[in-house]
Amino acid sequence: MRAIDIATKVNSGEVTAQEIIKQTLNTIKGKNPSLNAFLEIFEEDALKRAKEIDALPQGKKGRLAGVPVAIKDNILYEGHICSCASKMLANYKAPYTATVVKKLLKEGAVIVGRTNMDEFAMGSSNENSAFGPVKNPLDLTRVPGGSSGGSAAAVASGMVPVALGSDTGGSIRQPAAFCGVIGIKPTYGSVSRYGLTAFASSADQIGPITNNIEDNELVLSIISGYDKKDSTSKTCPTKKQTKQNLTVGIPTDFVANLENETALAFKQAVELLKSKGIQIKEVSLPHAKYAAPCYHILTSSEASSNLARFDGLRYGYTAQNTKDLEDTYLKNRTAFGPEVKRRIILGTFSLSSAHAGDFYLQAQKVRELIKQDFQKALKEVETIIMPTTPNGAFKIGEVEDILTLYLADLFTCPANMAGVPALSIPFGKDKNNMPLGLQIYANYFDEDLLYKTAALVEGK
Ligand code: GLN
């Protein structure tokens, strides 16, 4: 059932929140052992919440009354463990609740559990979780994508209608594409990051994963808005007057080397829009091809700084029987997995005084050029389409080469570098019959145009 329908039925009294939540918990218990999408189910808490919602007067239970929501394990919910799928924070209890969760609760949502992810949101396959990989519900031998793979798998398998993810370089959109669901990375600053464990603060955004556009739009409208607790939070400007008829851009230079079924699906999407009378225009994003390397320099640099607090003294795992301060640091920091260590080392190197000029500062300049590309292109068109990923979901253990994994973010990173919003919707299949994603980009705060374009592609 759609989240919107659950809320309507709970508000009218046709069904109780307790019935919905009991059913959801049973479904999760049945499906999760084979998927490993949830790291924890908040059973007792969820049933208590459902009871509270049922006690509220009819019609006043909120826009998400009784809707089961899963949250990625890097989003704080007071009193619950938030481990970032890391041994470093395995027992860390959230001391407060993230703004996004507060907003959901206010609208009657029930948080049913926390979802598995790549450790500290670093990865594209969920194989980097310290608590075992997540399986793709459409083929258990394949990855669900990452880093919000648990959230995408939880929605795709029908365990929950809504899950929150976080996206620093594609972590909502790529798993959404691999699992055949819908995911959005909102405009930077439009959704509060207060209570999201930082990976790279200049790129992180929280967003919803759902299985239909209407639910996605509703949840986004609830979680977005200015928050004084997040210094990069922005007030969404009132809607600009937009043209009645959309013009959709094709970044011809950026998508020139598409292969196999991805090329075919993209061509079909373009033809479909044309057949609906949508004007298609070629645009150029000359620097977008540098977004992935630029992203990895900048986000690793920020991560090396953000993750310094996990030293076992301020936060995180504390080793026993250490000799002295250096030994303490050395042993405490071993709680990080290999990918997190790699990024901290890469980031520390990029920021070091001897190399910052070659890497960090250069990457900042490239980021500016990427931003300008989008501003120029989005003067000519309302939205831009491109594939979400170069390929569909691969087998667990299949991709060992780190650079290949990094380049899988080729089409998603530009949105985080430019700060613009982007949405992934299922479109087409790969040679293994796994879903592919079509990605839609728009200008800052033009999320409504993303949904409008998505609805056109879906034939609504
Ligand atoms: N896959 C990307 C990475 O490994 C994106 C991660 C993210 O968006 N959190 O960095």
Side-chain angles (χ1 to χ4, degrees):
M1 216 188 323
R2 296 187 312 169
I4 291 185
D5 300 324
I6 294 175
T8 308
K9 289 190 177 171
V10 169
N11 264 307
S12 70
E14 195 182 319
V15 59
T16 66
Q18 291 174 86
E19 282 164 345
I20 297 282
I21 297 306
K22 275 183 194 154
Q23 203 183 57
T24 301
L25 294 171
N26 278 338
T27 311
I28 298 176
K29 281 182 202 163
K31 291 187 177 177
N32 196 52
S34 60
L35 295 173
N36 199 26
F38 279 89
L39 288 176
E40 189 186 349
I41 313 171
F42 305 146
E43 183 165 5
E44 212 179 299
D45 190 84
L47 289 169
K48 194 170 145 247
R49 271 285 299 158
K51 209 169 164 186
E52 285 166 13
I53 291 158
D54 286 336
L56 294 171
Q58 272 191 12
K60 298 225 157 66
K61 299 171 196 278
R63 287 182 289 166
L64 292 173
V67 173
V69 176
I71 54 173
K72 186 174 178 177
D73 193 29
N74 58 354
I75 299 173
L76 302 188
Y77 183 20
E78 189 177 344
H80 299 81
I81 287 181
C82 180
S83 79
C84 293
S86 177
K87 293 223 166 86
M88 182 57 90
L89 291 174
N91 304 312
Y92 178 70
K93 271 208 179 141
Y96 63 92
T97 298
T99 299
V100 285
V101 175
K102 273 197 181 152
K103 288 186 165 194
L104 293 174
L105 292 173
K106 208 169 152 217
E107 289 292 345
V110 178
I111 311 298
V112 292
R114 57 186 172 96
T115 54
N116 205 348
M117 55 186 275
D118 284 301
E119 186 177 3
F120 282 99
M122 297 172 186
S124 307
S125 66
N126 241 280
E127 291 164 292
N128 295 338
S129 165
F131 306 111
V134 178
K135 316 275 169 62
N136 191 312
L138 305 172
D139 177 347
L140 297 182
T141 66
R142 291 180 187 277
V143 303
S147 62
S148 314
S151 290
V155 172
S157 60
M159 291 197 274
V160 283
V162 177
L164 293 186
S166 67
D167 190 311
T168 308
S171 276
I172 290 175
R173 292 159 287 155
Q174 186 253 15
F178 277 16
C179 292
V181 291
I182 297 171
I184 188 167
K185 196 288 286 181
T187 303
Y188 183 74
S190 66
V191 176
S192 169
R193 293 183 295 112
Y194 181 70
L196 168 71
T197 310
F199 160 12
S201 316
S202 77
D204 299 338
Q205 274 293 275
I206 296 173
I209 298 178
T210 62
N211 45 40
N212 64 78
I213 300 173
E214 297 81 5
D215 282 353
N216 207 283
E217 198 164 4
L218 173 68
V219 176
L220 182 67
S221 73
I222 290 170
I223 62 173
S224 48
Y226 175 73
D227 180 12
K228 65 175 185 310
K229 290 176 174 155
D230 173 356
S231 61
T232 55
S233 174
K234 292 180 195 74
T235 309
C236 306
T238 41
K239 285 274 155 308
K240 301 157 214 160
Q241 247 345 85
T242 45
K243 277 200 297 183
Q244 199 54 29
N245 297 319
L246 288 180
T247 305
V248 176
I250 311 287
T252 324
D253 46 0
F254 191 37
V255 298
N257 300 320
L258 290 183
E259 281 171 27
N260 52 49
E261 295 84 6
T262 315
L264 184 68
F266 186 65
K267 217 172 131 205
Q268 283 169 347
V270 175
E271 290 310 318
L272 179 77
L273 287 170
K274 274 189 191 159
S275 74
K276 294 194 171 170
I278 304 298
Q279 208 192 326
I280 303 283
K281 201 169 170 185
E282 289 191 12
V283 292
S284 173
L285 298 173
H287 303 93
K289 60 174 178 284
Y290 305 115
C294 172
Y295 161 86
H296 277 282
I297 297 286
L298 294 178
T299 59
S300 298
S301 301
E302 291 184 34
S304 76
S305 163
N306 276 329
L307 271 60
R309 74 193 70 168
F310 303 113
D311 56 8
L313 302 174
R314 287 167 289 181
Y315 293 92
Y317 167 80
T318 313
Q320 302 301 314
N321 307 322
T322 52
K323 284 198 303 272
D324 50 28
L325 190 62
E326 191 173 337
D327 193 41
T328 305
Y329 271 108
L330 273 175
K331 291 195 172 131
N332 289 354
R333 302 273 284 176
T334 58
F336 283 135
E339 183 60 26
V340 176
K341 285 183 189 156
R342 182 180 297 120
R343 302 221 188 176
I344 291 174
I345 292 169
L346 184 66
T348 309
F349 178 80
S350 307
L351 286 177
S352 61
S353 58
H355 301 284
D358 296 336
F359 296 103
Y360 184 76
L361 295 176
Q362 286 296 98
Q364 290 285 32
K365 289 179 191 163
V366 175
R367 183 178 201 172
E368 191 52 41
L369 294 173
I370 297 168
K371 275 187 202 166
Q372 287 173 12
D373 278 1
F374 277 99
Q375 287 321 297
K376 205 165 152 216
L378 288 164
K379 275 206 182 89
E380 295 171 44
V381 296
E382 273 76 42
T383 54
I384 296 172
I385 56 169
M386 64 181 82
T388 309
T389 57
N391 300 94
F394 44 89
K395 293 244 182 204
I396 295 174
E398 184 184 331
V399 184
E400 284 176 355
D401 174 47
I402 297 298
L403 279 182
T404 310
L405 276 175
Y406 285 5
L407 284 173
D409 302 322
L410 173 74
F411 296 121
T412 48
C413 286
N416 306 74
M417 292 300 92
V420 294
L423 171 81
S424 177
I425 55 166
F427 195 90
K429 292 273 164 77
D430 72 1
K431 61 178 184 300
N432 304 305
N433 210 29
M434 294 301 285
L436 293 170
L438 178 73
Q439 203 181 183
I440 310 166
Y441 275 68
N443 217 334
Y444 304 112
F445 302 106
D446 277 345
E447 276 80 351
D448 57 330
L449 295 179
L450 297 181
Y451 292 121
K452 208 166 155 185
T453 310
L456 284 168
V457 175
E458 280 197 350
K460 288 179 183 154

